[in-house]
Amino acid sequence: MIIIFISIDLAAKGTLADCQATVRCEDAPVIQHELTRVKFRRSAITLHRAIRQNRAMAERVIPLVDQRLAALSPALARGPAAAPTGRLTDTLGRPLRDLRISVTDRCNFRCAYCMPKEVFDKDYRYLPHSALLSFEEITRLARVFLAHGVRKIRLTGGEPLLRKHLENLVEQLAALRTVDGQVPDLTLTTNGSLLARKARALKDAGLNRVTVSLDSLDDAVFRRMNDVDFPVAEVLAGIEAAQAAGLQRIKVNMVVKRGTNDHEVVAMARHFRGTGITLRFIEYMDVGATNGWRMDEVLPSAQLIERLHEHLPLVPLDPLSRGETAERWGYAGSDGRHDPALGEVGVISSVTQAFCQDCNRARLSMEGRLYLCLFATQGWDLRTLLREGAGDEQLAAAIAGIWHGRTDRYSELRSSLPPDRGTPAARRVEMSYIGG
């Protein structure tokens, strides 16, 4: 039996509603009857193609979205709102400072913790290009977010370097300014596979920084984890190209999975120590609904730091800014104090040491859905507002209304929440859809 979770847009008289369907292949005759009775506008074709193409799959997953135009309507109906002040806070007093923009749902890796091959196979239906926000639409939304106080913009994916001419978007975003007239901190997260050929163009376009995902230096382990037989040497060449291009404060993110690559943490630390590159260890997280997450595969950051400290003495460092995701540890010199020449490492402990109280990040998907948490189950549709002619004041009012109502703190509540049963209403959005 094949079960399909799918989100279908219903369009009627300029309004949007939601429809989630659970479909069994043997029910296809019933589905056909129902789809002929209800006018789904292209949804019938999409649904039947999904059924045909997934007979060999155990499960087909399409990111669920919540078309929340109805929730935005009251804010828009009130007419022009007060201009953004640069200080927008949610229900817990958390300011909006960081915007993460996914530019594609595609990736050329199949890492099990993000895009497992059993789900994201050759038959997986990615979004058509027409569904993606254009560079101009992304830039316009980014301008509104900056007016609300955003200071950092991170481009993500999928793999963002798969989006053609991404340097053109970088150039447009680099021309924007924060509320205090500064150039936004413009950065990008990549798996590094295309970085060697793109680093110079990205730097010339105005990219400030880059973060590279790299889970092992052992080529066999790395090929097994990316599941497309991609060599680690090409990612390391991309990191070198980024340094040569002049990109600053380069970071390397390693997702640590107990029993898979945790034996590599000391080797990774030794490799990047003293290079000017900051290595960050990320606890394996329960993002999305397809990675088969288990708590016993999480290596708590506290244990990881203890392990590192046995080989490379560390001292704690203060955070650089509020809302920083990583806890910083500096390499100690012979005097027992932090030696800046040796650099530092960071740990991101979303599972064992939640940092929700300081989270200041919003996430914009490639098709214009606004999500307020990496573990969200729903998002708000800004693309329709854009394409139906909403002005900047209306967009600003909608974003303000969404952020003002934000209550998300999943990681703090994880242990008290009921198990995710995989139902459409409970399924968390996939990491590949909104970026890490």
Side-chain angles (χ1 to χ4, degrees):
M1 179 177 68
I2 299 172
I3 297 176
I4 302 172
F5 295 108
I6 186 168
S7 175
I8 302 173
D9 297 343
L10 296 176
K13 298 182 180 178
T15 63
L16 292 175
D18 289 334
C19 176
Q20 283 96 20
T22 301
V23 184
R24 294 182 176 87
C25 284
E26 57 264 33
D27 294 333
V30 177
I31 297 168
Q32 184 175 7
H33 172 74
E34 292 300 315
L35 292 180
T36 56
R37 187 174 61 84
V38 181
K39 295 180 180 179
F40 273 113
R41 288 188 64 190
R42 300 190 303 275
S43 295
I45 296 173
T46 301
L47 188 55
H48 284 294
R49 282 178 179 169
I51 293 172
R52 289 199 307 270
Q53 293 178 352
N54 288 278
R55 293 185 183 278
M57 295 178 62
E59 186 180 48
R60 165 71 170 172
V61 176
I62 295 176
L64 294 171
V65 297
D66 184 0
Q67 307 269 27
R68 295 199 148 195
L69 283 184
L72 301 183
S73 297
L76 300 181
R78 287 194 296 267
T85 64
R87 175 71 179 179
L88 187 62
T89 56
D90 66 9
T91 60
L92 301 177
R94 297 171 293 188
L96 175 59
R97 290 287 181 263
D98 187 327
L99 177 63
R100 304 193 173 194
I101 303 173
S102 177
V103 296
T104 180
D105 59 340
R106 299 170 187 264
C107 186
N108 53 348
F109 283 9
R110 287 296 175 270
C111 304
Y113 58 79
C114 183
M115 292 185 73
K117 187 179 287 185
E118 310 84 65
V119 176
F120 299 88
D121 68 354
K122 62 182 178 61
D123 294 321
Y124 186 83
R125 295 181 62 81
Y126 295 96
L127 292 168
H129 187 75
S130 60
L132 308 185
L133 292 179
S134 68
F135 290 168
E136 290 72 24
E137 288 172 327
I138 291 173
T139 301
R140 184 180 172 204
L141 283 174
R143 182 181 295 110
V144 176
F145 276 97
L146 287 170
H148 276 309
V150 163
R151 298 180 181 278
K152 182 170 76 172
I153 297 174
R154 179 178 295 277
L155 299 180
T156 68
E159 170 47 47
L161 296 185
L162 291 178
R163 183 79 182 257
K164 291 182 179 179
H165 309 300
L166 186 67
E167 59 273 15
N168 294 343
L169 174 61
V170 171
E171 186 174 14
Q172 292 179 35
L173 294 174
L176 301 178
R177 294 295 180 268
T178 65
V179 289
D180 53 0
Q182 302 298 310
V183 177
D185 182 11
L186 189 54
T187 184
L188 174 145
T189 297
T190 173
N191 63 28
S193 60
L194 301 173
L195 189 56
R197 71 185 76 166
K198 300 288 286 186
R200 176 62 63 181
L202 291 167
K203 170 62 177 174
D204 291 346
L207 190 71
N208 304 126
R209 301 188 289 113
V210 67
T211 297
V212 179
S213 299
L214 177 62
D215 297 328
S216 178
L217 290 172
D218 183 297
D219 193 59
V221 174
F222 183 72
R223 289 174 188 261
R224 186 164 60 249
M225 291 191 72
N226 66 54
D227 210 12
V228 293
D229 204 33
F230 194 88
V232 70
E234 293 194 31
V235 177
L236 294 174
I239 295 172
E240 291 177 2
Q243 286 184 300
L247 290 167
Q248 302 297 311
R249 291 185 291 155
I250 297 172
K251 296 176 183 176
V252 169
N253 283 351
M254 177 186 183
V255 174
V256 181
K257 192 173 180 181
R258 191 193 293 272
T260 299
N261 67 336
D262 61 307
H263 63 286
E264 282 278 290
V265 297
V266 175
M268 287 280 286
R270 289 190 189 280
H271 180 84
F272 290 107
R273 183 173 180 256
T275 64
I277 294 172
T278 298
L279 174 62
R280 303 192 301 181
F281 301 99
I282 302 176
E283 290 180 343
Y284 173 42
M285 294 182 289
D286 51 333
V287 180
T290 63
N291 67 2
W293 182 86
R294 300 201 321 262
M295 184 64 197
D296 61 0
E297 292 181 321
V298 176
L299 177 65
S301 294
Q303 294 181 23
L304 187 150
I305 290 297
E306 288 178 5
R307 185 184 301 184
L308 275 184
H309 187 69
E310 292 177 0
H311 301 271
L312 302 167
L314 299 169
V315 294
L317 300 177
D318 293 331
L320 293 174
S321 61
R322 184 178 179 183
E324 193 171 41
T325 58
E327 180 182 281
R328 301 171 61 221
W329 292 82
Y331 291 112
S334 57
D335 60 358
R337 294 184 294 182
H338 176 222
D339 183 349
L342 296 177
E344 63 183 76
V345 296
V347 288
I348 299 177
S349 316
S350 176
V351 178
T352 63
Q353 300 176 50
F355 41 82
C356 301
Q357 71 275 8
D358 290 326
C359 182
N360 55 19
R361 288 168 293 284
R363 301 168 187 274
L364 184 66
S365 77
M366 74 295 300
E367 58 175 342
R369 317 287 184 195
L370 178 60
Y371 292 86
L372 305 183
C373 179
L374 180 60
F375 302 94
T377 59
Q378 59 194 20
W380 281 261
D381 181 8
L382 299 182
R383 184 188 65 187
T384 297
L385 293 181
L386 273 173
R387 296 185 179 179
E388 290 187 351
D392 285 357
E393 287 186 351
Q394 291 176 303
L395 291 171
I399 292 168
I402 293 167
W403 190 264
H404 279 317
R406 179 182 186 237
T407 60
D408 299 74
R409 53 191 188 100
Y410 172 84
S411 290
E412 289 183 347
L413 302 175
R414 179 186 283 107
S415 61
S416 64
L417 295 174
D420 182 352
R421 300 301 184 186
T423 58
R427 293 174 73 88
R428 294 182 293 276
V429 68
E430 296 299 324
M431 184 189 296
S432 59
Y433 185 75
I434 54 171

